[in-house]
Amino acid sequence: MTAPATPRSAMSGKAIVASQFDRAADLINLEGYMRRILMSPFREVQVEVPVRMDDGRIEVFTGYRIQHNGARGPCKGGIRYHPDADHDEVLGLAAIMTWKTALMDIPFGGAKGGVTVDPKKLSKLELERLTRRFTQRISIMLGPYRDIPAPDVNTNAQVMAWILDEYSSRHGYTPAAVTGKPVSLGGSLGREEATGRGVMYVMMEYARDFGVPLKGSRVVIQGFGNVGGHLARLVAAEAGAKVVAVSDVNGGIVNEQGLDVPALLAHGAARRPVSEFPGGQAITNAALWTIPCDWLVPAALGGVITREANARTVDCRVVVEGANEPTTPTADLILAERGIAVIPDFLANAGGVTVSYYEWSQNLQQYRWTHEQVNRELQATITKAYVGVRDLAKQRGVTFRTAAYAIALQRVAEAERLRGN
Ligand code: GLU
């Protein structure tokens, strides 16, 4: 059975997740009624978010919080601010959070939030007012044992601090109500770099198992935000890899000898586009996909590896999905035909939510872990999940993605059955 050959624009996040779901559900012979439970969201809320702009006008934005499944624990997942964050995208991302938390075997379900807005067009005060108003409108769904937000695309520790303040002003001091907070407000050491660090740990395991040594290997990273930036720094500093090219929304930069990542990060911290970095040659975003490498890491938005654009031409050994849903189902099949392995998003980028779990536990216990302890536990958790996926993929002759789905579906289905469903 082949997935529909539709480009990202015609295939919603929801549809992408659905086609991948079926393949794994068939593998574990999941009953029809259970497929229905696991595919559909538990609860969805859409809110209108009126925001007083700096010039005195009121602008009204639309926001969503979708709880996909809470059988294994409180719903968990980030909030993104993006012009494309609509109902279907948020729903698809909420479902991925269910599979991600199940695959990591951490006691959470899956949720996602989004506001349809271009935050680059807002001042800092407008962003704060938007965040507070959105939090008020969804706060009825939130809570440390109900649903716990975290950062995602275009949100960060400061946004989480506003959410915490808004939530706590109604419910009393509740640091466990949100993760990815600033460390001085009860955030965890190591949370900010956790997604990038988790991607590196998975690459280290894959490197050992499949003979693609990280040391000296060529890495190309699309996206230089929280995931791509930390990953670039860590694979260069801790794994000895050569980051030959990176990009941001404006374009990319390439250096065959390996980019000087700390200098590039300092350049980016001054809000300058990576393509203006003096230590390499500027390239277009389209050209980034053609650079020969061992590891290609999409670490920005969804739907970037497609049949139309680049699935037949990317020149790498492994695609590591640092972003959520970067590969369309058709592109996924093309990569498989070409013998290019794909490490799926909900395995590769699960480091963020895993350290969110440690942050939540630290908040509930009012006890702080060291950065070393966080990293050690993260490595153990994500490596265990990786080994499970690798072994099942080998045993059943399926891709890593299908194996990862099968493990996650099995766990969530078991929790549903034990609850009487
Ligand atoms: N937004 C991140 C993700 O997609 C982190 C979610 C969290 O920490 O709850 O996994």
Side-chain angles (χ1 to χ4, degrees):
M1 204 191 77
T2 50
T6 30
R8 164 75 177 167
S9 52
M11 189 158 195
S12 67
K14 199 172 77 177
I16 291 176
V17 172
S19 69
Q20 292 161 345
F21 175 94
D22 280 336
R23 213 167 301 139
D26 291 344
L27 190 75
I28 59 168
N29 299 319
L30 201 65
E31 313 91 301
Y33 84 92
M34 189 59 81
R35 290 182 197 220
R36 172 103 192 253
I37 294 179
L38 299 192
M39 260 323 277
S40 13
F42 168 71
R43 183 185 281 145
E44 318 185 310
V45 164
Q46 177 184 324
V47 292
E48 298 309 316
V49 189
V51 178
R52 175 83 59 193
M53 307 304 277
D54 292 343
D55 63 7
R57 279 178 311 117
I58 288 188
E59 237 183 85
V60 185
F61 300 93
T62 303
Y64 306 89
R65 183 71 184 175
I66 301 185
Q67 298 173 339
H68 176 260
N69 190 286
R72 299 182 63 265
C75 296
K76 186 83 191 81
I79 291 177
R80 67 169 55 184
Y81 292 163
H82 196 274
D84 295 338
D86 60 8
H87 170 269
D88 278 9
E89 178 174 280
V90 175
L91 176 52
L93 293 165
I96 289 181
M97 289 310 302
T98 301
W99 317 135
K100 201 182 291 190
T101 51
L103 183 64
M104 292 301 118
D105 208 4
I106 58 178
F108 287 139
K112 201 79 170 195
V115 178
T116 319
V117 59
D118 183 355
K120 290 179 188 75
K121 295 196 178 132
L122 300 187
S123 70
K124 192 167 178 197
L125 278 172
E126 288 167 342
L127 197 69
E128 176 175 349
R129 288 193 288 265
L130 172 84
T131 302
R132 289 186 183 279
R133 186 51 75 89
F134 179 55
T135 307
Q136 288 164 15
R137 302 247 155 147
I138 62 167
S139 78
I140 192 164
M141 306 170 77
L142 304 182
Y145 296 107
R146 286 188 175 277
D147 182 352
I148 306 138
D152 197 77
V153 172
N154 292 328
T155 57
N156 57 19
Q158 175 61 75
V159 173
M160 299 307 115
W162 292 325
I163 294 176
L164 173 66
D165 185 61
E166 201 56 49
Y167 185 88
S168 296
S169 71
R170 286 152 177 248
H171 301 272
Y173 176 67
T174 323
V178 57
T179 62
K181 302 177 290 291
V183 172
S184 46
L185 283 181
S188 178
L189 293 168
R191 173 62 184 85
E192 200 188 87
E193 64 173 31
T195 309
R197 183 170 281 283
V199 173
M200 177 182 71
Y201 287 149
V202 170
M203 287 166 72
M204 284 171 154
E205 293 306 311
Y206 189 92
R208 222 186 339 259
D209 287 343
F210 294 88
V212 195
L214 257 183
K215 196 167 164 42
S217 68
R218 294 165 61 91
V219 182
V220 169
I221 303 175
Q222 181 247 357
F224 205 57
N226 183 254
V227 182
H230 283 294
L231 175 66
R233 175 177 64 81
L234 292 167
V235 288
E238 296 189 16
K242 211 158 65 170
V243 180
V244 289
V246 304
S247 66
D248 60 22
V249 280
N250 299 302
I253 187 89
V254 60
N255 184 332
E256 287 297 324
Q257 309 317 313
L259 291 156
D260 177 347
V261 180
L264 183 57
L265 283 164
H267 170 93
R271 300 195 156 277
R272 283 174 299 190
V274 294
S275 55
E276 288 173 16
F277 180 60
Q281 293 85 50
I283 47 165
T284 62
N285 279 329
L288 183 95
W289 301 109
T290 63
I291 295 173
C293 58
D294 300 297
W295 310 88
L296 177 60
V297 188
L301 294 171
V304 292
I305 302 185
T306 65
R307 182 183 60 156
E308 293 73 18
N310 48 17
R312 289 189 203 287
T313 49
V314 290
D315 189 357
C316 63
R317 294 175 72 179
V318 192
V319 169
V320 188
E321 296 187 331
N324 287 316
E325 299 182 324
T327 314
T328 63
T330 321
D332 210 28
L333 295 172
I334 296 171
L335 294 175
E337 271 167 32
R338 293 184 59 208
I340 297 173
V342 179
I343 305 184
D345 46 12
F346 62 106
L347 172 59
N349 73 28
V353 74
T354 300
V355 176
S356 277
Y357 164 50
Y358 305 151
E359 180 174 331
W360 179 77
S361 333
Q362 291 173 70
N363 294 150
L364 294 177
Q365 295 174 25
Q366 299 174 34
Y367 182 77
R368 287 230 154 160
W369 294 11
T370 63
H371 196 164
E372 291 67 35
Q373 186 180 357
V374 168
N375 291 351
R376 207 169 42 240
E377 296 281 338
L378 168 60
Q379 186 163 21
T381 300
I382 207 162
T383 300
K384 188 166 171 223
Y386 163 85
V387 167
V389 171
R390 177 202 65 195
D391 291 351
L392 186 67
K394 187 161 179 219
Q395 200 186 321
R396 304 294 300 266
V398 294
T399 62
F400 268 39
R401 191 187 312 278
T402 301
Y405 260 109
I407 292 169
L409 289 182
Q410 194 80 275
R411 288 188 182 149
V412 183
E414 187 187 339
E416 288 285 358
R417 283 189 204 104
L418 287 168
R419 283 169 177 268
N421 291 324

